[in-house]
């Protein structure tokens, strides 16, 4: 799976190796995708804004 | 189970590879699957607080405290009121599951799989040269 910098700081929904959609908040993202039959099988990930080291 | 590292492109360095695995967090019939960073330096498993909402977990009145990051920056975390089921799935393998406490960070920027409850119950090997990690029960 590859995440591009354009998703930094956003929640991203992915399936397999593909990004399905993104949004600033998890709630917004899940609302956008709620009508998909596979919405509960997607992977929802918060993408770090930059490099990370021992902190969140 | 072997998982390839997750690649992040376009950050300060062109390509960053992180040992992240898909984990399903399940509680009370609700679940969220997210890529989570295996962080041997984290004492606890820490999730962005938005996931607590998805799992219908109420954090009001829960134990909360500050955790220090590597740069002495601190952030507040809230202990989950119940242990949360962790499920690691991979086609062709039996699911790996464990019940463990987690903490929710107000300012979380990613999900961290820490020592207590997760790494303490599994054998995880980082294969940096191959950019993959292996999990054994």
């Amino acid at each position: 799976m590859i995440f591009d910098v354009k998703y930094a700081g956003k929640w991203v929904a992915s399936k397999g190796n593909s990004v399905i959609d993104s949004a600033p908040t998890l709630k917004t993202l899940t609302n956008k995708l709620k009508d998909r039959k596979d919405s509960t099988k997607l992977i929802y990930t918060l993408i770090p804004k930059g490099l990370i080291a021992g902190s969140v | 189970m072997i998982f390839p590292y997750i690649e992040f492109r376009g950050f300060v360095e062109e390509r960053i590879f992180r040992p992240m695995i898909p984990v399903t967090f399940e509680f009370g019939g609700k679940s969220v699957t997210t890529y989570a960073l295996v962080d041997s330096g984290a004492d606890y498993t820490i999730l962005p607080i938005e996931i607590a909402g998805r799992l219908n977990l109420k954090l009001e009145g829960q134990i909360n405290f500050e955790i220090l990051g590597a740069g002495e920056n601190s952030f507040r975390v809230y202990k989950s009121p119940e242990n949360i089921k962790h499920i690691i799935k991979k086609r062709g393998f039996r699911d790996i599951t464990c019940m463990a406490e987690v903490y929710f960070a107000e300012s979380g920027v990613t999900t961290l799989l820490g020592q207590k409850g997760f790494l303490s119950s599994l054998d995880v090997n980082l294969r940096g040269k191959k950019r993959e990690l292996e999990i054994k029960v």
Side-chain angles (χ1 to χ4, degrees), chain A residues 11-37:
Chain A
W11 282 91
V12 170
S14 61
K15 183 178 183 179
N17 287 322
S18 300
V19 169
I20 305 298
D21 208 339
S22 66
T25 67
L26 178 58
K27 189 172 185 178
T28 304
L29 182 59
T30 52
N31 280 339
K32 287 170 75 175
L33 298 171
K34 65 183 179 185
D35 292 331
R36 284 180 64 110
K37 290 181 179 176

Side-chain angles (χ1 to χ4, degrees), chain B residues 60-105:
Chain B
E60 293 85 1
Q62 283 302 116
I63 294 170
N64 65 92
F65 50 86
E66 298 273 325
I67 283 186
L68 282 178
E72 293 191 2
N73 54 313
S74 64
F75 54 93
R76 183 160 295 277
V77 295
Y78 296 82
K79 186 179 181 181
S80 61
E82 305 280 349
N83 284 349
I84 305 299
K85 189 174 188 179
H86 301 41
I87 309 168
I88 304 168
K89 300 178 180 179
K90 190 171 179 69
R91 186 173 295 173
F93 291 85
R94 187 180 301 172
D95 292 355
I96 295 173
T97 64
C98 65
M99 293 291 290
E101 64 185 35
V102 302
Y103 291 79
F104 294 97

